[in-house]
Amino acid sequence: MMRTKIFSFLLLVAGILFAGCSDDVYVTGTQMYMYDYDVRSYQWQQWGDAYRAVLDVPDITHHVVADGNVQVSRCFPGDNNGIDVWTPLPMMRVEVTEGADGGDYYYTTFIDYEWTLGTVTVYVTASDLYTGELPADMSFRVTIMQ
């Protein structure tokens, strides 16, 4: 009788532990919206040792701030097959430019973002913190989940 109680107790504990070890997350009623933005070179604003562009995204509501999420990706237009490539932010790329001496000068460019009620701010920072030239035209996709 004692063995049966101990065995039953161990089975109960094992069942509770097994039931509590799930990695699945189910979110019902989630809505997702995607918006594309083109930022022209002249629209970048110097911000300390970086550049920024502020995107107006009215669908980032109080509800999204409290319970949702916003993700941003950069578009690299058409590869050899004409298909766009989307890279999620933050991202870093190696850039090269020709120096005054005719040699190649390598540096990295880091692109990240932050979001709040109604806006997404995208930042472009060069590893050498040089802000002499405006960043190029860039396209971004803002994905809102609520």
Side-chain angles (χ1 to χ4, degrees):
M1 178 97 161
M2 185 62 144
R3 284 187 180 186
T4 304
K5 287 184 179 180
I6 292 174
F7 183 70
S8 296
F9 177 73
L10 290 175
L11 282 176
L12 177 66
V13 170
I16 291 171
L17 289 176
F18 181 71
C21 295
S22 175
D23 289 349
D24 296 337
V25 176
Y26 298 97
V27 180
T28 58
T30 301
Q31 296 176 341
M32 183 169 66
Y33 306 95
M34 292 186 296
Y35 301 97
D36 292 339
Y37 292 85
D38 293 322
V39 178
R40 302 292 176 224
S41 183
Y42 65 86
Q43 293 174 304
W44 292 104
Q45 306 163 345
Q46 189 167 347
W47 186 254
D49 291 330
Y51 287 97
R52 74 174 184 173
V54 179
L55 309 177
D56 183 31
V57 190
D59 283 342
I60 301 178
T61 62
H62 288 284
H63 178 69
V64 173
V65 172
D67 299 315
N69 191 23
V70 176
Q71 296 178 349
V72 181
S73 298
R74 179 182 175 193
C75 180
F76 290 91
D79 61 6
N80 293 334
N81 297 323
I83 299 171
D84 292 342
V85 176
W86 291 93
T87 304
L89 301 184
M91 63 168 281
M92 184 169 32
R93 294 284 174 156
V94 175
E95 307 282 344
V96 63
T97 187
E98 187 176 326
D101 61 358
D104 289 336
Y105 176 64
Y106 293 89
Y107 61 97
T108 57
T109 300
F110 183 72
I111 304 175
D112 64 325
Y113 69 100
E114 61 188 15
W115 59 275
T116 190
L117 182 66
T119 63
V120 170
T121 304
V122 180
Y123 298 94
V124 176
T125 308
S127 60
D128 61 359
L129 302 178
Y130 176 70
T131 56
E133 293 182 24
L134 293 170
D137 295 352
M138 295 184 202
S139 296
F140 298 98
R141 175 166 290 161
V142 175
T143 304
I144 302 169
M145 289 159 280
Q146 60 180 354

